[in-house]
Amino acid sequence: MADAVLFYALGGLLLVSAALVVTVKNIFHAALYLALALFVVAAIYVTLGAYFLAAIQVLVYIGAVVVLAIFVINLTRTVTGAPVTLSRRWVIPAALVSALTACLIAVALLKAADSSPASPPATADATAAIGRGLLGQWVLPFELVSVLLLSSLIASIAIVGKDREEER
Amino acid sequence: MTITLTHYLILGAALFCLGIYGAITRKNAIGILMSLELVFNAVNINLVAAARWQPDGGLRGQLFALFVIAAAAAESVLGLAIILAIYRRRVVVNADEMDLMKN
Amino acid sequence: MSLAPWSLELATTTLMVVVLVVDVLARHGKKLIWGCYLVGTVALLAIAFFSRGQAEILGGTYVADGLSWIAKIIIVIGAGLTGAISMSALSIREKYHGAYAALLLAASLGMMVLVSSKELITLFVGLETSSVSLYGLAAISKRDDLSLEAGIKYLVIGALSSGLLLYGLSIVYVSTGTTSLDAIRGAVSARGRGPLLTASVVFVLLGVGFKLSMVPLHVWTPDVYQGAPTPVSAFISVVSKSAGFVFALRLLSFAFADLRLVWEPLLAAAAVLTMTVGNLVAIPQKNVKRLLAYSSISQAGYILVGFVGSPAFGASAVMFYLLVYTLTNVAAFSVVIAFSQATGSDQLDDYAGLARREPLLALAFVFALLSLAGIPPLGGFVGKFYLFAAAMQKGYLWLVIVAALNSILSLYYYLLVLRRMYITDPAVPAVPMKTAFPVRAVLLITTVGIFWLGILPGPVMNVISEISARIFPNM
Amino acid sequence: MPEQVLAAVLIPLFPLAAFVLAIAVSRRRSVLSAAASIAGIGAAFLLSLWVLRGQVLSPGPLQADIPWLAAGSIRISMGILVDPLSSLMLVIITAVSLLVQVYSLGYMKGDLGFGRFFSYLSLFSFSMLTLVLADNFILLYMGWELVGLCSYLLIGFWYQKPEAASAAKKAFVVNRVGDFGFLIGILVLSILSGTLSYGEATRFIAGGSLAPGQVTLIALLLFCGAIGKSGQFPLHVWLPDAMEGPTPVSALIHSATMVAAGVFMVARLYGIFMTSADALRVIASLGAFTAVFAALIALAQDDIKRILAYSTISQLGYMMLALGVGGYAAGMFHLTTHAAFKTLLFLGAGSVIHAVGTNDIWKMGGLGRRMPVTAITFFIAVLAIAGIFPVSGFWSKDEILQAARASGHLELYIVALVTVFLTGFYMARLFFVAFAGEPRAESHAHESPVVMTVPLVILGVLAAGLGLIGSPLLGQDIQRFLAPVEEHIGGLNIAVLVQSSALAVVGILAAVMVYGLRIVQPETLRRAAGPVYVVLKHKFFIDELYMALVRGLFFTTTAGIAWFDRHVVDGVVNFVGAASKWGGDVVRRGVTGKVQSYALVVVWGLAAALLVIFL
Amino acid sequence: MTFPLLTTMYGLPLLAVLVIFFVPERRALAIKIVSLTASAAALGLAVWLFFAYDRGVGGLQFVERVPWLGVLGVNYFVGANGVNVMLLLLTGVIITAGVLASWDVTYRPKEFFILLLTLTTGVFGVFMAYNLFLFFLFYEVSVLPMYLLIGIWGTGKKEYAAMKLTLYLMAGSALILAGLLGLYFASGKGSFDFDILSTAAYDPLFQRVFFPILFVGFGTLAALWPFHTWSPDGHSSAPTAVSMLHAGVLMKLGAYGCLLVPITLLPGGARFWLPSVAFLSVINIVYGSLSAVAQRDLKYIVAYSSVSHMGIVMLGLASMNEIALNGAVLQMFSHGIMTGLFFGLVGMIYGRSHTRMVNEQGGLAARTPALAAFFVLTGLTSLGLPGLSGFPAELSVFLGAFRAYPVVTVICVTGIVFTAFYVLRVVQRLFFGRQFLAHPASAQSTTLGFGDANRIELTALSLLMLFILAVGLYPLPFTTLIGTAVAPIAAKLGGM
């Protein structure tokens, strides 16, 4: 029962904050709601026993991505000052299509619900297993992620880095 | 009333669709990126929840989620960089004004 | 002789590091960087060529098989040719050439992993590595508004499609509890088609479709091709698409083999839409890069036609076509590069009278376009024949007719280009143009290749069909 | 191969060789052309005589062939058949050709196309000889078409004259209409009987293997060809126009030989026609009608050649009538005599035209004194065609009348008699208007040169005496020669003889009264006839009717089809093209360049796919 | 290994293409000589083939068969039977005459001859290929160069016409492609070799479905109604040699395809569908000739006459018996040469008077007697005059067709009347009557100031006329030759 309360509470909070992220007019506020949503997701991870992931979620997402987003929002302030940041043109079709998609996914999920096991097996902290996995079977993606991040950095630098000649 | 995997999956689906909605309706390019983060988080909720219900301790699901976070971060960084560069040149952050190319 | 399955990936990483180091040490010495790059890619090609074999590592998550072998050869060839046309034609500051070359290699590396992995996580990371590098490449010409806009559009739609793919994969994980393709295949055939797996097929299909420029995931293609530096467009159009198709083969034809009833009709429909939309919208285009973008959308449609054919036959047809398509599209883009370098224009109307001005360049373009249209004796003809044969084997008469009629539609706008080059008189006095040596070399290589695959494709075909027979036995 | 056959094969080949030689040198050495042509036809004439002699001595069919086309079960040979009928035709054709060619030396002298003219004549001789020698339908058809071609070429010989060019085309096209039926007839026959050879087909049909209806169908279809070629109503319209050609051509082709091909064809296939009484009745009726119809028109014409043309049509109708009422030999006999006197008439007319430079008989007059040879020979011919004892036409016409009488079709007989009267009248009118009376003051007419008058004289003798070979008084040799087994060869029927002679004489006298003695002025007669004259003058308005049909129906149809093709059939094609462009443009406009719309497309795709899967 | 006669035959023009590629454009005469040499040599080979083909043995001769694409069951497989021999001969004649007729091409001669000879290579190839993949390959090669040939050297609305023609024909080939693939898989033999495919037993339903696909595909190129509208526009815009080659040879290629693939391989489908084809061919013949009557442009007239004459070929094909098939093939040959002459002549007239409108000129015979003579002869061939090639061909078709479809054939024979009408009308207007030449621009008419055919033109015309006469005067060697090839087909169709 407590599980249920916790799930509905966190789930509700998540959806509300997520809804605010996509609807609130001020982009800066949206970023803050995003941080909240991501945090709630981390909490959900905790309830699911994924502690390591929860930590990563907070560190990487909130600590890096959202901060960076807010940073960029501040840098582009001159324009973002304008309050209306939602595009009216697409609201109705977007709402329609999202709702439709949601319904269809829900249909599929509910159809399959009977076969899903009722209660989860006993939890064990997977952190150690994750570590072993990263250096074992999944060492290749683990190594590749560094290339991924590296190229992301190289590209970002190449794109935003200022050319001296240009400034002169 | 027990919380089953399906509950989490429904939650994930709802988040996914909210993210999609945001990606379409957000005018600000940064907003679009943020909405897409919601999509990735929806995926991760699915993965982590499914991992919880796996008999093998759900290692793969959690690992998957981990890599998703990394990839999402990389994409966001690059996306923000490009937005910043566009802003510098054209003082534009609204995605619907980035339509020099069309038709 | 057979090398370890990871040797190419290691070599590529090494080359990437070398390029970065040279970049730093040589203070962005453009020539040196490209020298390293080209020598390196030749070596990579040798490695790729000799790493044919059958091996699995990391608990079966990573394989080297025929499919990955062919795909990697295409990737390396593509990367090499793109590098060659980039070195003289890139309009970015010299100091970013190092980053550019490194990103090319990172993208290639990601795709190599993508085509070799038999496990969702590895697959995904490979995919993201290539995608992110490509986003960066598309936007790298940062003094060009179009390039930046291409980058952000590419990234947003790419991220969205990643989201779709991931969502599909997460459902796969939910229903099968595994990420290994072999295990998924087993689980799918044991469990049959439940609602969850069925739904996941849709998501996966769309997620895969992004790389292929499949309708409705084609939306980014014209803008990115137009805005990105032309060599990057070439790279995206051939290498990324090829890797995407191999990826699709692994996921759909292999892992989801028993869900064929679900994805095959969807794919057939997508094929029709892709061809038709691509061709129809190509007709009114005025910008040659945009034209090639729409043409490459339609090309994806043709490949999808082969895709719906029986697995073994279809896979070999797809692989063969990808090989042809790589050479052909690189040739086409090389002409565009040569032209825009000389004239600074990508507008089709400026191609008027090219045949009088630069007969050989025009001729190379003709061969490329006609190969795309599937005219013999060029590679595109054999390739398309092969693809349509695959669909026909499954009894898709209607699809073959639609596809063949679509080729006629495509011929229309290719001929419009021909018309400009050969029939229309030039608006300006026809001054001969200077084409850089590397571009000329690439044109020669690709044109020879197009003819070779059109006239004597036998050996290549034999190898490919052996490979697919092994990967898709008794199917 | 018997020598006779060899000779028969050579007969058409001589003119063919002459043609090749003549056409080759026609532009540079036109005299050589003429020489070659005359030499060729002369040799052919001699050989023909020899062949005829052989047939007279020992009648009997001789055949020879070589394979020409083989397709499946069809084997077509080029084969010749020498028998009394063909050997007679050979002589007629070669003789007339020879005379006309000699005559042409004078008539065509100085013409720019002198050489060309002779080469065409040689080609014609070849074709016509092939036609009569053929032993199968295909070769017959080939000769048939080739003479048509020669006719076309020769009518249009003075091609720079628009009327000539137009008449040539008209001749060919009208003939084609008949040939259409002819060809269909051959097709039907070949399918039903499985053969294309006369002999086999005739045996097959005469053997009663086909239903009567089928035989009638075949016979009538074949007869269509004859209608066209022999100028029978309603396809007679080309023949008067054909007079635009040089007069020797009119003499040779459009009176004596080619136009008789239809008659010859019916005679040649008489075994088939005889099997169908219905077909014979049609032939007889049409022949009789044409005879009187053309004679009526001839009454009101003023152009000397046109009068003769209508008389030719009328006489051909006579021959058809003969064949239709069972007078096979009579028809052929008349063909023979007609060849002589009609050639003579035309050559005489040519001589006149050559002299006065006009065709209008009212502009002539009094030529008898200026051109005595022409006038006398012409007069003999007039007597012959009118059927006055004892010149040739009398005997042959009498045979026909007898056959008609004997057939029991009284109405045909009466029509034939009326025609006799009319013929006498219009021929006499022609002669008296042109040759009698006072010469025109401005005319400088003089007698033609010897090369022209000699043929006239020879023909005059023939026209006068040729009838004797078929005269009942002298044993009717020609009839026996042609139809040895025919039961009825009419003897001397005094009643018929008297009736026809009387009518002919009355006709001539009536004309003399009007045109010779001017007891009644021609003008008065004309006015008295009133509307009848107008109708006759305009040839019953047949040409006008055809023109209206062609203009109103045919051209409207073709224009309609052309429009349909351009705008409907091709319109669909262009529409597909336009629709593709339009579709591309519509989709293109949907590509807004805004990334949100792109995302929307993607998500709609997702929703649609899910919907498809789950519904 | 024996001398690869057939490969050499199409190899010669191909070789010429490569040679010309390296000849500088300003040396136009050299280019023309190379082209002429290659085409004349190919013609020589074709003539030699005509005599060397063993009629007693029949069947495929001079076969070359080399494995090519094992995976798809594709061999390099060329050979010639009686029909091929005829059509190769036709191609050789037309291309040689075509090169001669193009002697006055001065605008971009290099590209012109390269494209012309490429086209020729393809056509030769089609007429000898006995692997359907190879066949299709050559088929497409022979269609495409047409685009530039018309687009660059054409007249009038050339770009529209070129595009329409190319796309239309390619659409036909799209159907062919689908059909060929269907055959390949339905046969279950895993081969595209014609002889292997012809041994397969196809399901009756399959035959009925695929026959129309293949037949319409090929029929488009043979101007089967209602898929013919590319032809008038295309022909009227094309330069002389291209019209000659296209109407003379390429349209035959469609008819040949109809005979080779759907009719021979799918006899069941043929028996089911050919009556409908007979119906369409009536429309072709009558509608084509009636449309020709309404035209004013010489090339349109000839083009519609081609539509009409191809209808006769189609009628022959549809009749399913040996007589008609024989006639159909002979008609292909005859019409090929004849229409080549027609277009050649029209081109020569246009080259002199600069108008192709019938009502803008007249009385040309006085100035150009040789052209007039050839024109008349050609016209007579077209209206089926005996002694010229059209006659035996049409006669055989009608004789055969009448057995199968009496009523249809009767209607078709009316075509000979209409043909006579429009042909002679053109002759009359163009060559006879008063000499004049109207300049559309100034609305004035002048006398004609040009001469007769020159020696090169006469050579081209005579070459073609030679074959018209040969077939017309003595068709036996030709029909015997064709018979060896069509008899087995007729037997397969079980026709009468």
Side-chain angles (χ1 to χ4, degrees), chain C residues 109-374:
Chain C
L109 178 63
M111 287 186 260
M112 289 171 191
V113 174
L114 175 67
V115 299
S116 260
S117 60
K118 283 188 86 175
E119 198 265 346
L120 295 183
I121 297 174
T122 321
L123 208 78
F124 170 69
V125 177
L127 181 72
E128 280 302 309
T129 309
S130 70
S131 296
V132 168
S133 314
L134 290 175
Y135 305 154
L137 283 170
I140 203 162
S141 183
K142 61 173 183 178
R143 289 177 303 165
D144 178 0
D145 288 340
L146 299 187
S147 173
L148 289 173
E149 189 178 313
I152 192 70
K153 283 176 174 170
Y154 195 19
L155 185 133
V156 167
I157 301 299
L160 177 63
S161 77
S162 286
L164 299 185
L165 177 68
L166 281 173
Y167 195 80
L169 295 182
S170 76
I171 299 179
V172 172
Y173 178 67
V174 166
S175 20
T176 63
T178 179
T179 57
S180 146
L181 293 187
D182 288 315
I184 291 171
R185 183 189 164 98
V188 167
S189 72
R191 215 164 301 172
R193 40 184 290 216
L196 277 188
L197 279 173
T198 306
S200 76
V201 165
V202 174
F203 282 95
V204 168
L205 200 66
L206 288 171
V208 169
F210 168 72
K211 286 254 159 192
L212 315 183
S213 302
M214 176 186 91
V215 170
L217 267 298
H218 67 291
V219 283
W220 56 274
T221 318
D223 292 354
V224 171
Y225 282 27
Q226 186 188 347
T230 312
V232 175
S233 305
F235 190 73
I236 294 172
S237 80
V238 298
V239 183
S240 167
K241 187 172 284 183
S242 302
F245 270 106
V246 175
F247 168 43
L249 278 175
R250 286 233 193 267
L251 221 51
L252 296 174
S253 300
F254 180 77
F256 285 173
D258 286 308
L259 287 170
R260 205 179 173 90
L261 280 179
V262 178
W263 59 258
E264 197 179 285
L266 282 178
L267 214 54
V272 171
L273 281 175
T274 309
M275 294 184 285
T276 314
V277 167
N279 284 328
L280 282 181
V281 189
I283 293 173
Q285 294 308 319
K286 300 262 181 272
N287 180 299
V288 69
K289 285 167 78 178
R290 241 177 136 73
L291 179 97
L292 285 177
Y294 281 108
S295 125
S296 90
I297 292 173
S298 72
Q299 296 290 325
Y302 304 135
I303 304 181
L304 287 174
V305 170
F307 210 108
V308 301
S310 66
F313 207 99
S316 38
V318 169
M319 279 190 271
F320 183 80
Y321 196 78
L322 288 175
L323 203 58
V324 174
Y325 174 72
T326 301
L327 295 174
T328 309
N329 238 23
V330 168
F333 274 106
S334 304
V335 175
V336 173
I337 286 170
F339 187 79
S340 76
Q341 275 224 293
T343 64
S345 165
D346 287 332
Q347 293 303 305
L348 274 172
D349 287 336
D350 294 334
Y351 279 68
L354 186 65
R356 307 299 289 157
R357 195 170 169 187
E358 278 294 315
L360 290 180
L361 193 65
L363 197 62
F365 207 25
V366 168
F367 287 142
L369 293 178
L370 293 185
S371 179
L372 287 176

Side-chain angles (χ1 to χ4, degrees), chain D residues 27 68 70-72 74 141-142 145 149 159-160 165 169 172 176 180 188 190-191 558 561 565-566 570 574, chain E residues 160 164 228-229 233 287 290-291 304 323 366 380 383 386 399 402-403 414 416 424 428 433 473 475-476 479:
Chain D
R27 281 163 82 181
W68 181 74
I74 294 277
Y141 184 78
M142 290 174 69
E145 291 290 301
L149 166 69
Y159 57 81
Q160 281 165 311
K169 181 190 71 178
F172 201 100
R176 266 277 149 149
F180 163 71
V188 175
S190 83
I191 304 307
T558 57
I561 286 181
D565 196 58
R566 288 281 86 188
D570 202 33
N574 288 331
Chain E
Y160 163 78
K164 178 163 152 188
H228 65 284
T229 54
D233 286 331
Y287 175 105
L290 289 179
S291 297
Y304 275 109
I323 308 164
L380 295 171
L383 54 80
L399 279 171
F402 199 85
R403 289 161 193 235
T414 59
I416 66 168
L424 296 181
Q428 180 200 344
L473 292 175
L476 186 70
T479 54

Side-chain angles (χ1 to χ4, degrees), chain D residues 114-319:
Chain D
F114 189 76
R116 189 161 57 92
F117 182 78
F118 279 93
S119 61
Y120 288 171
L121 285 184
S122 282
L123 181 62
F124 170 76
S125 304
F126 160 72
S127 316
M128 191 68 205
L129 293 168
T130 311
L131 189 158
V132 298
L133 276 172
D135 78 335
N136 65 65
F137 289 94
I138 299 303
L139 193 57
L140 171 71
Y141 184 78
M142 290 174 69
W144 191 264
E145 291 290 301
L146 283 175
V147 293
L149 166 69
C150 298
S151 155
Y152 168 77
L153 292 173
L154 285 164
I155 296 171
F157 181 76
W158 288 314
Y159 57 81
Q160 281 165 311
K161 238 168 61 180
E163 301 83 20
S166 165
K169 181 190 71 178
K170 183 173 177 184
F172 201 100
V173 172
V174 171
N175 264 301
R176 266 277 149 149
V177 175
D179 295 350
F180 163 71
F182 190 36
L183 186 59
I184 303 276
I186 293 175
L187 291 177
V188 175
L189 182 82
S190 83
I191 304 307
L192 291 180
S193 72
T195 179
L196 286 163
S197 128
Y198 296 154
E200 288 171 29
T202 310
R203 270 193 296 282
F204 183 82
I205 287 171
S209 311
L210 293 180
Q214 288 174 322
V215 181
T216 306
L217 176 71
I218 291 173
L220 290 181
L221 284 170
L222 293 174
F223 185 58
C224 285
I227 295 178
K229 193 115 295 179
S230 293
Q232 299 297 290
F233 179 84
L235 298 183
H236 63 282
V237 288
W238 66 272
L239 190 52
D241 286 8
M243 298 301 129
E244 293 295 340
T247 307
V249 171
S250 310
L252 175 62
I253 299 183
H254 302 119
S255 66
T257 54
M258 185 191 84
V259 292
V263 177
F264 166 77
M265 189 263 283
V266 176
R268 178 45 102 194
L269 304 176
Y270 210 61
I272 295 173
F273 285 95
M274 242 172 18
T275 318
S276 168
D278 292 338
L280 283 182
R281 201 172 312 124
V282 171
I283 293 172
S285 313
L286 193 67
F289 176 76
T290 308
V292 69
F293 170 83
L296 281 171
I297 296 176
L299 293 177
Q301 301 305 310
D302 299 327
D303 180 319
I304 183 167
K305 287 182 73 181
R306 283 187 186 256
I307 298 173
L308 291 179
Y310 280 105
S311 92
T312 305
I313 295 172
S314 173
Q315 297 300 312
L316 290 167
Y318 245 97
M319 295 175 211

Side-chain angles (χ1 to χ4, degrees), chain E residues 126 135-143 173 176 217-218 221 253-254:
Chain E
V126 172
F135 176 81
F136 186 67
L137 187 152
F138 280 126
Y139 191 89
E140 298 231 317
V141 169
S142 50
V143 170
S173 81
I176 297 171
F218 285 115
L221 188 44
L253 206 142

